[in-house]
């Protein structure tokens, strides 16, 4: 076949970008649903057929959701750590303690 009739092969840079855009799938026991057994790799074929802009949007959306949860955790962690540091002040005064009973049981 003449070289002009074949489609040009993507460059290694395009291959790297395409590899980064693939979504990782979690494979668990059972091997997926019936559709995956009837049409092996159908999700990868659908993903490859999607336009680049849609794939980028999907990946960015997943990454943003992940980052949102990390930021939310950091926010709550600040509140909880400040509460834990303040919790020490809730311990009953030594003046009113009974030595035979620890303070947690006195609080009940």
């Amino acid at each position: 076949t003449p070289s002009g009739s074949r489609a040009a092969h993507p460059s290694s840079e395009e291959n790297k970008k395409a590899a980064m855009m693939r979504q990782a799938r979690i494979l668990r026991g059972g091997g997926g649903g019936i559709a995956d057994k009837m049409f092996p790799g159908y999700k990868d074929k659908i993903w490859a057929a999607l336009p680049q802009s849609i794939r980028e949007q999907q990946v960015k959306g997943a990454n943003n959701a992940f980052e949102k949860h990390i930021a939310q955790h950091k926010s709550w962690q600040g509140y909880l750590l400040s509460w834990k540091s303040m919790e020490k002040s809730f311990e009953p005064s030594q003046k009113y303690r009974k030595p035979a009973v620890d303070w947690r049981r006195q609080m009940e």
Side-chain angles (χ1 to χ4, degrees):
T1 60
S3 62
S5 65
R6 290 191 321 196
H9 291 292
S11 68
S12 63
E13 186 64 33
E14 289 174 354
N15 284 339
K16 288 178 187 175
K17 188 171 183 178
M20 287 190 311
M21 292 303 298
R22 287 192 195 105
Q23 286 185 330
R25 292 184 295 144
I26 299 172
L27 299 176
R28 294 190 173 95
I34 188 81
D36 201 35
K37 288 179 177 60
M38 291 175 63
F39 314 107
Y42 78 99
K43 289 182 182 177
D44 294 329
K45 292 173 186 170
I46 292 171
W47 182 253
L50 289 174
Q52 184 72 17
S53 61
I54 300 292
R55 289 188 285 181
E56 287 176 1
Q57 182 182 11
Q58 290 285 324
V59 172
K60 284 179 185 175
N63 289 343
N64 288 343
F66 178 78
E67 295 291 335
K68 178 182 166 192
H69 291 302
I70 297 292
Q72 185 180 26
H73 171 74
K74 284 183 176 180
S75 170
W76 278 106
Q77 186 180 28
Y79 290 120
L80 292 174
L81 289 176
S82 68
W83 174 262
K84 290 300 267 183
S85 66
M86 192 173 57
E87 188 178 41
K88 185 82 174 149
S89 66
F90 295 145
E91 184 175 330
S93 169
Q94 292 289 338
K95 181 178 175 183
Y96 301 105
R97 289 190 74 178
K98 298 177 185 173
V101 182
D102 65 317
W103 70 271
R104 285 186 181 89
R105 291 198 183 113
Q106 291 182 38
M107 296 303 287
E108 292 177 353

